[in-house]
């Protein structure tokens, strides 16, 4: 305030003067916030000077303003000024400093200020700030943005990357020319995914930058899936001794999570690497660092081996050559506008400026003739480009606003001179689109964020003495990685792993650990299951089995009883012998058809019986033949027909003998239906029952083939086979053979009843022995056939058992009933002679008496009585 007489002015309390600031006059004043000094220790707000992050950046802002003021195309006839403040890298201190920017918008109450003569004071009007460039740290930008938004002052940051600042509802006047950490987190996620790492840990420095960066990474991992967070650790602001060793030990608790995602400041990065080195973990961890690591040398000095292979990320940037020329030309004489430049000079050249220098312990005095880049090392700080882009973005927005509000008006028109609407200026800021100082486009999205453009580096040791950050890719909304440029420990080009569980082999499903989708146990798809998906096994269709890899199903091989199988060779051999023998007997009987032996055997019934025997042998070939509709039809017909022929004929014979002797006990009259024609009618009547049953079977269930996959469905699918067979169930088989077995049992009963007939009478005794033997064969057949129903060799055993049983039954009948006759016919023809004929009564009486007079019967030639009886009965029956 200014009184008319300053000596008369009385102030209740003097307002503090902001000594640490730079003021550049202009028509439009921009604010600037830079971390010129580090955070102070022990209660002091500011610490050491930050040469690069502080001086380089604020000089970049002033350089950009100089260029804009000289540009006739940008804001012509309008001069930009600046009010630049030091944040001292502390959010609370920065908040106090930033109140300077809003002073012009706060009405002062002068009621408590009076001059001595009682006149009210006259207040000097502070500079009106239309926009602010800064700040650097996200925590500082957040604190300042909360104040600036109240007064609608737009803010453009050149280094704040916290995702929280993208919230347009809370930080609506905040914009930035650097991409937010959410983009950085997405780029890091894309790197992790490209490396096929799915199990990682995160490490963050306590504070907004570290915590929000990790939070963004974790959020992306949840949304995209595929990457699990093993541990998420935080480095305290004031770490206790041993804190970093403890962090390394905790990271080793999940040793499979080798990849460590780091959002930490460079001091914390250096101490983490040092702790890993102390704990002998060189080469174990795979570091993925954010832009706070970038391509900096300071975190890796002295621990190159631990840091080897680290992948880091840095916003894509370029060095601004014009700034290098500008800054190298700065000196104490031509840069008096920078109030901190003298302090920078002492720090940079390690000298002392006069008695009031900031470095009292310096060994030499500054001459003022030192030159930046000649007498000291110089490298442009990485954010210089972004500082200049932020200033130019504000200038372009003001230019657009001037063109809209003051079109054709030289300089500021009243609409802009009196009051620049912050909301309107913000809209113009969000609409800018120009090429920045590095030639890359400067644009903002609806949240005020710049597009994500990053370079991907890897820290590599090319030989024993050379280390470098090598560019291995870039990220611009999508990752472009040069895999061939990557190198790992000792030059190994193969990708190291950071996975909780190794991939399952083919044919194995993942059984995910509850709550940790990246960790699983591998379970083999067992039995007839195949791997249907990554997480499931499914049962193959009944007619299929898993393939070799268990990734699909293949048809189960179909088998049948082959002719060359031992199970077929034996029954076929027996059947062929039987057919030959049967054919031989038939030929012999036909050849000697009119001889007494043949006639005595009952020629017609013998041929029927021999036909049945032949069919019993022949069915073997049908049972082994490849099943089809024709073969299955013939099986149904002839399976029981051969036995039916045989036992129908034998039953008719035994029944005839029984009736003859029962009738002989009552009278001498021959019983009815004992003639050959009658016998044939009876026999074929019995056979027709079998045929009728078969035809009914045909009508109810037409013959067809089936493939039985259950018969040889072993526990090992590779041994599983489908059996091609006729659709004849065990029950159907028993029904088919049941009638023949009934005939056989009935025949056996008659054989028992006629056991008292003299042994020389017809064929009663051989028939009896035949039936007893046949019953034994079929009694043995039943347990073998049904006892093997669960066997894997069921088809072979049952078919072989059935065919051999049929062949044995036929062989018993053939051997006992016909071989003796053939023997007599061929080798003893003298016994095959006719005898004199007598009456039926005489013959029956003689036969009956022969049981009592065995001696006399024994003196007569073999078969004499039998032949005589048969011939007589044959004659009497005709």
């Amino acid at each position: 305030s200014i009184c008319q007489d300053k000596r008369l002015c009385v102030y209740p309390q003097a307002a503090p003067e902001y000594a640490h600031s730079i003021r550049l006059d202009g028509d439009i004043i921009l604010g600037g916030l830079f971390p010129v000094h580090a955070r102070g220790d022990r209660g002091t707000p500011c610490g050491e000077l930050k040469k690069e992050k502080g001086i380089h950046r604020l000089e970049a802002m002033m350089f950009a303003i100089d260029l804009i003021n000289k540009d006739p195309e940008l804001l012509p006839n309008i001069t930009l000024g600046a009010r630049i403040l030091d944040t001292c890298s502390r959010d609370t201190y920065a908040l106090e400093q930033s109140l300077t920017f809003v002073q012009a918008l706060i009405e002062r109450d002068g009621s408590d200020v009076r001059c001595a003569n009682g006149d009210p004071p006259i207040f000097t009007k502070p500079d009106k700030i239309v926009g602010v460039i800064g700040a650097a740290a996200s925590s500082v930008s957040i604190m300042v943005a909360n104040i600036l938004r109240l007064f609608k002052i737009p803010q453009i940051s050149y280094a704040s990357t916290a995702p929280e600042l993208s919230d347009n509802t809370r930080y609506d006047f905040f914009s930035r020319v650097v991409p937010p950490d959410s983009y950085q987190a997405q780029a890091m996620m894309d790197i992790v995914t490209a490396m096929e790492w799915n199990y990682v840990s995160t490490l963050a420095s306590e504070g907004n930058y570290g915590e929000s960066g990790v939070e963004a990474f974790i959020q992306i991992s949840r949304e995209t899936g595929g990457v699990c967070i093993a541990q998420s650790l935080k480095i305290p602001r004031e770490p206790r001794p041993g804190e970093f060793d403890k962090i390394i030990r905790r990271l080793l608790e999940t040793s499979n999570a080798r990849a460590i995602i780091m959002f930490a400041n460079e001091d914390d990065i250096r101490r983490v690497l040092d702790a890993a080195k102390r704990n002998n973990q060189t080469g174990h961890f795979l570091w993925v660092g954010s832009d706070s690591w970038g391509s900096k040398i300071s975190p890796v000095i002295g621990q190159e081996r631990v840091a080897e292979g680290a992948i880091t990320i840095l916003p894509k940037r370029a060095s601004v050559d014009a700034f290098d020329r500008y800054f190298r030309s700065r000196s104490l004489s031509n840069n008096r506008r920078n109030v901190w430049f003298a302090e920078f000079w002492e720090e940079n050249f390690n000298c002392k400026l006069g008695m009031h220098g900031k470095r009292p312990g310096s060994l030499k005095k500054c001459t003022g003739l030192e030159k930046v880049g000649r007498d000291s090392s110089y490298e442009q700080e990485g954010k210089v480009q972004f500082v200049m882009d932020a200033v130019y973005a504000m200038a372009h927005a003001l230019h657009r606003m001037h063109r809209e509000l003051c079109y054709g008006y030289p300089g500021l028109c009243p609409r802009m001179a009196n009051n620049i609407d912050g909301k309107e200026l913000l809209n113009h800021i969000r609409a800018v689109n120009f090429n920045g100082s590095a030639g890359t486009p400067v644009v903002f999205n609806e949240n005020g964020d710049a597009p994500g453009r990053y370079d991907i580096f890897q820290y590599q040791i090319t030989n024993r003495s050379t280390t470098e950050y090598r560019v291995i890719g870039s990220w611009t909304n999508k990752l472009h990685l040069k895999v061939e440029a990557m190198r790992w420990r000792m030059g190994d080009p193969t990708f190291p792993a950071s996975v909780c569980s190794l991939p399952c082999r083919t044919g194995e499903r993942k059984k995910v650990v509850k709550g940790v989708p990246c960790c699983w146990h591998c379970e083999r798809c067992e039995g007839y299951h195949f791997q249907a998906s990554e997480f499931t096994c499914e049962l193959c269709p009944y007619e299929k089995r898993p393939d070799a890899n268990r990734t699909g199903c293949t048809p189960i091989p179909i088998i049948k009883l082959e002719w060359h199988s031992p199970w077929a060779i034996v029954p076929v051999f027996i059947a062929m012998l039987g057919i030959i023998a049967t054919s031989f007997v038939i030929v012999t009987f036909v050849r000697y058809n009119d001889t007494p032996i043949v006639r005595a055997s009952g020629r017609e019934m013998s041929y029927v019986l021999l036909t049945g025997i032949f069919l019993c042998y022949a069915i073997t070939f049908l049972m082994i033949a490849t099943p089809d509709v024709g073969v299955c039809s013939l099986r149904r017909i002839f399976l029981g027909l051969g036995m039916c022929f045989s036992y129908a004929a034998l039953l008719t014979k035994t029944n005839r003998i029984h009736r003859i002797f029962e009738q002989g006990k009552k009278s001498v009259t021959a019983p009815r239906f004992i003639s050959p024609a009658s016998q044939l009618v009876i026999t074929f009547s019995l056979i027709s029952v079998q045929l009728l049953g078969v035809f009914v079977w045909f009508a109810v269930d037409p013959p067809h083939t089936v493939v039985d996959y259950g018969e040889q469905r072993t526990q090992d699918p590779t041994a599983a086979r489908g059996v091609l067979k006729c659709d004849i169930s065990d029950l159907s088989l028993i029904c088919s053979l049941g009638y023949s077995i009934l005939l056989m049992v009935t025949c056996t009963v008659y054989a028992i009843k006629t056991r008292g007939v003299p042994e020389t009478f017809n064929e009663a005794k051989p028939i009896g022995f035949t039936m007893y033997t046949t019953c034994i064969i079929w009694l043995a057949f039943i347990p073998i056939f049904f006892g093997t129903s669960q066997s894997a060799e069921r088809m072979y055993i049952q078919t072989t058992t059935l065919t051999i049983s049929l062949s044995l039954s036929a062989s018993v009948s053939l051997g006992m009933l016909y071989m003796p006759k053939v023997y007599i016919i061929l080798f003893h023809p003298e016994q095959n002679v006719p005898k004199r004929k007598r009456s039926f009564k005489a013959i029956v009486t003689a036969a009956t008496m022969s049981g009592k007079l065995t001696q006399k019967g024994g003196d007569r030639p073999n078969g004499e009585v039998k032949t005589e009886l048969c011939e007589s009965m044959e004659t009497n029956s005709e």
Side-chain angles (χ1 to χ4, degrees):
S1 60
I2 301 174
C3 291
Q4 293 175 353
D5 186 350
K6 290 187 179 180
R7 291 174 299 176
L8 301 177
C9 289
V10 178
Y11 301 96
Q13 186 174 357
E17 180 82 23
Y18 288 101
H20 295 294
S21 68
I22 295 174
R23 187 178 187 280
L24 304 179
D25 289 329
D27 300 323
I28 298 175
I29 307 298
L30 302 180
L33 292 171
F34 295 93
V36 180
H37 292 86
R39 179 184 301 208
D41 295 328
R42 293 182 296 276
T44 58
C46 301
E48 295 180 351
L49 182 80
K50 301 177 83 169
K51 294 192 297 181
E52 288 83 13
K53 289 187 177 182
I55 300 300
H56 282 208
R57 292 178 182 179
L58 73 85
E59 286 288 350
M61 179 175 177
M62 292 191 293
F63 175 60
I65 289 175
D66 292 343
L67 293 178
I68 293 166
N69 288 336
K70 293 176 185 176
D71 191 341
E73 302 296 329
L74 187 61
L75 292 174
N77 300 314
I78 298 175
T79 304
L80 283 183
R83 183 72 183 272
I84 301 173
L85 305 177
D86 180 10
T87 64
C88 291
S89 307
R90 188 187 295 272
D91 50 3
T92 53
Y93 183 76
L95 180 62
E96 295 173 9
Q97 293 285 73
S98 64
L99 291 175
T100 304
F101 298 148
V102 298
Q103 280 180 347
L105 301 174
I106 300 175
E107 268 191 38
R108 294 197 177 186
D109 182 9
S111 60
D112 59 344
V113 179
R114 287 289 181 272
C115 292
N117 61 1
D119 292 337
I122 299 172
F123 292 97
T124 56
K125 194 171 183 179
D127 296 325
K128 183 178 180 182
I129 307 299
V130 300
V132 174
I133 306 300
S138 295
S139 57
V140 175
S141 287
I142 289 171
M143 191 76 79
V144 172
N146 285 316
I147 292 294
L148 297 181
R149 72 183 295 268
L150 297 177
F151 297 93
K152 298 182 180 180
I153 299 176
Q155 173 187 1
I156 303 177
S157 173
Y158 50 82
S160 297
T161 56
E164 183 182 348
L165 289 164
S166 295
D167 186 352
N168 206 32
T169 60
R170 295 176 58 195
Y171 308 104
D172 45 345
F173 281 82
F174 177 85
S175 304
R176 48 187 161 190
V177 291
V178 288
D181 287 338
S182 54
Y183 291 162
Q184 185 175 197
Q186 182 63 62
M188 295 170 81
M189 175 60 70
D190 290 347
I191 292 169
V192 167
T193 304
M195 301 300 294
E196 298 181 355
W197 297 337
N198 66 2
Y199 196 51
V200 301
S201 292
T202 63
L203 189 57
S205 291
E206 187 176 2
N208 188 271
Y209 171 78
E211 292 176 40
S212 61
V214 163
E215 184 180 345
F217 183 86
I218 294 174
Q219 182 63 29
I220 293 170
S221 73
R222 289 197 189 111
E223 291 172 358
T224 59
V227 176
C228 297
I229 309 301
Q231 293 191 75
S232 190
L233 306 182
K234 190 187 300 182
I235 302 170
R237 289 183 192 271
E238 305 293 337
R240 294 183 296 239
E243 186 71 38
F244 290 92
D245 292 320
K246 180 182 177 183
I247 288 172
I248 294 298
R249 286 194 297 271
R250 286 196 60 188
L251 290 174
L252 289 172
E253 291 174 5
T254 51
S255 57
N256 284 350
R258 294 177 60 193
I260 310 299
I261 310 303
M262 296 184 71
F263 282 86
N265 60 56
E266 52 188 281
D267 288 338
D268 287 343
I269 293 169
R270 179 174 46 79
R271 288 182 284 187
V272 166
L273 294 177
D274 186 47
K277 183 179 177 181
R278 280 198 309 274
N279 286 272
N280 297 318
Q281 296 304 317
T282 300
H284 174 75
F285 293 112
L286 307 167
W287 312 105
V288 181
S290 64
D291 61 349
S292 59
W293 185 337
S295 57
K296 294 173 185 172
I297 298 299
S298 57
V300 297
I301 291 176
Q303 39 215 17
E304 291 82 1
R305 289 290 175 189
V306 183
E308 183 180 5
I311 298 173
T312 60
I313 191 170
L314 202 59
K316 191 179 286 290
R317 63 192 182 190
S319 180
V320 182
D321 294 336
F323 177 79
D324 289 339
R325 291 191 297 271
Y326 163 80
F327 196 79
R328 285 192 174 100
S329 69
R330 296 298 88 191
S331 67
L332 292 172
S333 59
N334 65 11
N335 199 22
R336 294 184 182 278
R337 62 183 179 177
N338 185 345
V339 298
W340 297 288
F341 198 70
E343 187 180 352
F344 165 78
W345 199 267
E346 288 184 329
E347 183 78 23
N348 193 52
F349 296 109
N350 195 24
C351 61
K352 180 181 177 183
L353 284 170
M355 296 178 59
H356 303 289
K358 299 286 185 179
R359 298 172 62 85
S362 299
L363 300 178
K364 62 177 182 177
K365 289 186 177 182
C366 302
T367 64
L369 301 176
E370 294 89 357
K371 189 171 180 60
V372 174
R374 184 191 68 187
D375 300 316
S376 66
S377 61
Y378 166 75
E379 183 178 355
Q380 187 179 123
E381 200 275 332
K383 294 291 195 298
V384 163
Q385 167 200 343
F386 299 111
V387 173
M388 295 182 66
D389 286 347
V391 176
Y392 266 91
M394 193 71 76
H396 276 279
L398 288 166
H399 183 80
R400 288 169 57 93
M401 189 175 185
H402 179 267
R403 192 170 57 189
E404 183 178 300
L405 300 179
C406 309
Y407 185 76
Y409 193 96
L412 291 179
C413 63
R415 292 183 65 184
M416 286 187 70
N418 297 329
N419 183 28
I420 293 179
D421 186 350
K423 183 66 176 176
E424 191 173 351
L425 178 59
L426 175 67
N427 293 333
H428 286 293
I429 290 172
R430 297 287 170 88
V432 300
N433 188 342
F434 64 96
N435 285 330
S437 53
T440 55
V442 176
V443 293
F444 300 99
N445 64 12
E446 65 277 6
N447 295 322
D449 294 329
R453 289 188 291 264
Y454 298 97
D455 284 322
I456 313 296
F457 296 88
Q458 187 181 38
Y459 187 67
Q460 297 180 358
I461 301 178
T462 53
N463 54 49
R464 293 187 178 181
S465 58
T466 305
T467 60
E468 65 172 348
Y469 285 98
R470 185 175 180 184
V471 177
I472 58 168
S474 62
W475 191 92
T476 307
N477 297 322
K478 183 179 179 182
L479 180 66
H480 303 277
L481 200 62
K482 302 176 197 170
V483 177
E484 67 280 359
M486 303 182 78
R487 291 291 180 273
W488 303 96
R489 192 179 180 192
M490 305 304 290
D492 185 4
T494 58
F495 283 6
S498 181
V499 295
C500 181
S501 303
L502 293 174
C504 293
R505 292 173 294 181
T506 54
E508 294 180 340
R509 76 175 184 95
K510 291 180 181 178
K511 186 177 181 182
V512 178
V513 176
K514 189 175 181 180
V516 190
C518 299
C519 300
W520 58 78
H521 304 294
C522 295
E523 287 187 351
R524 181 80 173 163
C525 295
E526 297 292 346
Y528 288 82
H529 291 79
F530 72 100
Q531 185 184 1
S533 69
E534 193 177 5
F535 301 99
T536 59
C537 294
E538 290 184 4
L539 188 66
C540 284
Y542 194 67
E543 71 280 2
K544 294 184 178 182
R545 64 181 181 183
D547 57 22
N549 294 326
R550 288 188 177 270
T551 54
C553 298
T554 57
I556 294 175
I558 297 173
I559 60 169
K560 58 184 180 60
L561 185 58
E562 301 292 344
W563 293 102
H564 55 76
S565 169
W567 295 99
I569 290 174
V570 173
V572 166
F573 179 71
I574 295 172
M576 289 180 68
L577 290 179
I579 288 172
I580 292 170
T582 305
S583 301
F584 179 75
V585 170
I586 293 172
V587 170
T588 302
F589 266 52
V590 171
R591 173 70 179 80
Y592 298 96
N593 189 52
D594 292 323
T595 60
I597 290 291
V598 175
R599 293 180 65 191
S601 299
R603 287 173 295 186
E604 294 78 3
M605 297 305 295
S606 291
Y607 291 134
V608 173
L609 182 54
L610 287 169
T611 300
I613 292 171
F614 184 89
L615 292 176
C616 285
Y617 287 122
I619 192 63
T620 297
F621 298 95
L622 288 174
M623 296 301 292
I624 296 172
T626 301
D628 56 33
V629 175
V631 169
C632 292
S633 300
L634 293 175
R635 281 189 189 179
R636 289 192 182 189
I637 295 170
F638 291 105
L639 183 60
L641 193 60
M643 290 178 63
C644 188
F645 263 77
S646 300
Y647 300 127
L650 287 175
L651 176 59
T652 304
K653 279 194 173 190
T654 52
N655 175 265
R656 179 178 180 235
I657 295 170
H658 176 71
R659 287 189 295 111
I660 287 173
F661 278 92
E662 287 298 315
Q663 182 68 20
K665 293 177 182 178
K666 300 174 183 177
S667 68
V668 295
T669 306
R672 300 170 61 190
F673 309 120
I674 62 171
S675 65
S678 301
Q679 296 297 298
L680 287 175
V681 170
I682 294 170
T683 300
F684 283 108
S685 298
L686 295 173
I687 293 171
S688 65
V689 175
Q690 171 74 18
L691 291 174
L692 180 62
V694 170
F695 291 141
V696 171
W697 187 11
F698 268 74
V700 173
D701 182 18
H704 59 278
T705 59
V706 294
V707 179
D708 186 351
Y709 293 99
E711 184 171 315
Q712 293 199 24
R713 193 175 180 83
T714 57
Q715 292 202 355
D716 180 10
T718 58
R721 297 293 183 271
V723 180
L724 178 63
K725 56 167 64 174
C726 292
D727 188 25
I728 302 176
S729 64
D730 291 346
L731 179 61
S732 301
L733 179 69
I734 292 301
C735 291
S736 178
L737 295 176
Y739 180 65
S740 300
I741 293 173
L742 176 64
L743 294 178
M744 180 183 70
V745 171
T746 308
C747 189
T748 304
V749 171
Y750 275 110
I752 294 171
K753 286 185 176 182
T754 57
R755 67 185 183 278
V757 174
E759 62 180 81
T760 55
F761 178 74
N762 212 317
E763 296 169 309
K765 290 295 189 291
I767 289 174
F769 287 129
T770 298
M771 298 320 300
Y772 304 150
T773 307
T774 303
C775 285
I776 292 171
I777 291 170
W778 287 97
L779 285 173
F781 162 80
I782 291 172
I784 294 174
F785 186 88
F786 291 101
T788 58
S789 60
Q790 302 302 319
S791 171
E793 305 289 334
R794 172 186 173 185
M795 175 187 68
Y796 305 112
I797 296 173
Q798 290 189 344
T799 303
T800 302
T801 303
L802 178 60
T803 53
I804 289 180
S805 296
L806 288 168
S807 295
L808 287 178
S809 299
S811 298
V812 168
S813 300
L814 187 67
M816 290 193 172
L817 298 178
Y818 291 103
M819 284 306 171
K821 295 180 178 61
V822 173
Y823 177 76
I824 292 173
I825 291 171
L826 297 179
F827 299 105
H828 294 283
E830 71 278 3
Q831 295 183 13
N832 190 13
V833 293
K835 304 298 177 182
R836 65 184 180 85
K837 296 179 181 178
R838 292 182 290 174
S839 67
F840 175 78
K841 180 180 180 181
I843 293 170
V844 171
T845 303
T848 305
M849 293 298 295
S850 66
K852 301 175 181 178
L853 305 173
T854 54
Q855 184 63 38
K856 288 185 179 181
D859 292 340
R860 299 180 69 178
N862 185 31
E864 186 176 322
V865 173
K866 181 175 72 175
T867 303
E868 186 177 343
L869 176 62
C870 288
E871 287 176 347
S872 175
M873 285 192 294
E874 207 170 74
T875 302
N876 294 334
S877 301
E878 289 175 356

